[in-house]
Amino acid sequence: KEKAANAELSFEEEAKKAGFDSAVEYLNSRRYNPYFGSFFRLRYIGTPCDGAACVIVCASELAEKYTKKAVRITGMKTATQMHKEVRTVPDPMMCGLIQDVYDQAGITDPYNQIEYMGIHEVPALYTAIAAEWAGYVKPGEGLPAMRDGRFAYDGDRPVSTHGGVVSNGHPLAGKYNIEIAEAIHQMRGECGAR
């Protein structure tokens, strides 16, 4: 019951309830906000919730059977690694994946050829870092672009226009398909103002 009641409190209110003078002190507390990884604290990310999304993938010649607004996938790749395996910046595995997908899709100038990018932005700073690695923004532009609103849905370099994974409740099962669905809706022009 106490945990459910705390879910309705702001960090400032939680801090005061726990006897801290500020939210920063509270969030730096090893007792109330312990580390669960090398860099991440328990209260660093949004509380995950349930969620789902579905993406139907089929041969191009069958797509018209299911929709009049098919989106053709020209490149896709996936990989997994343990957090402790990431030792360098930029991450060679991620950069290799990006290059493989660009090769599949014929992208040679991502800054000028890509109009929208979906990035798994947990933590939020990863948006700026990954956008630079992917060539979506020029080196050194990531953080200023993020700060200046260039990544917003109405900016010149829109990123994760659905608000990102955390804004969607960080659903564990559906997060990747939610990102794919947003990109598809963007390509179809179905997102209205965003």
Side-chain angles (χ1 to χ4, degrees):
K1 288 182 179 179
E2 184 179 338
K3 187 176 181 182
N6 282 344
E8 301 297 323
L9 300 176
S10 68
F11 285 141
E12 289 78 9
E13 292 167 329
E14 285 185 43
K16 187 175 181 181
K17 187 175 177 181
F20 291 91
D21 292 329
S22 72
V24 172
E25 287 179 33
Y26 173 70
L27 291 171
N28 284 321
S29 163
R30 289 183 185 261
R31 178 177 177 198
Y32 292 96
N33 193 19
Y35 285 102
F36 70 88
S38 301
F39 307 105
F40 303 107
R41 290 183 182 264
L42 186 61
R43 297 302 303 263
Y44 185 67
I45 59 173
T47 304
C49 67
D50 290 334
C54 176
V55 175
I56 298 172
V57 180
C58 65
S60 296
E61 57 271 11
L62 297 176
E64 288 181 17
K65 191 175 178 181
Y66 301 102
T67 182
K68 297 205 183 307
K69 297 180 178 180
V71 172
R72 186 165 185 262
I73 298 170
T74 57
M76 186 169 182
K77 187 136 184 178
T78 185
T80 306
Q81 69 181 354
M82 298 299 293
H83 181 266
K84 65 183 179 182
E85 294 173 354
V86 180
R87 302 262 186 234
T88 61
V89 174
D91 175 0
M93 186 205 73
M94 182 60 68
C95 292
L97 284 172
I98 291 166
Q99 189 58 57
D100 286 350
V101 171
Y102 286 176
D103 290 346
Q104 290 174 28
I107 294 172
T108 57
D109 182 6
Y111 188 82
N112 291 306
Q113 288 179 280
I114 298 175
E115 297 175 4
Y116 169 83
M117 184 163 280
I119 296 174
H120 183 88
E121 81 308 327
V122 180
L125 183 59
Y126 195 74
T127 300
I129 294 168
E132 284 189 27
W133 291 350
Y136 187 62
V137 294
K138 298 186 186 304
E141 284 186 355
L143 199 53
M146 189 175 184
R147 181 194 62 225
D148 297 341
R150 293 179 64 201
F151 291 164
Y153 68 90
D154 57 352
D156 69 311
R157 309 303 295 166
V159 174
S160 301
T161 50
H162 60 327
V165 173
V166 174
S167 292
N168 280 275
H170 202 198
L172 299 177
K175 61 187 162 194
Y176 302 108
N177 278 345
I178 290 170
E179 292 179 34
I180 292 168
E182 176 68 11
I184 290 168
H185 289 304
Q186 287 291 344
M187 288 187 275
R188 288 177 172 171
E190 298 173 342
C191 293
R194 78 163 201 281

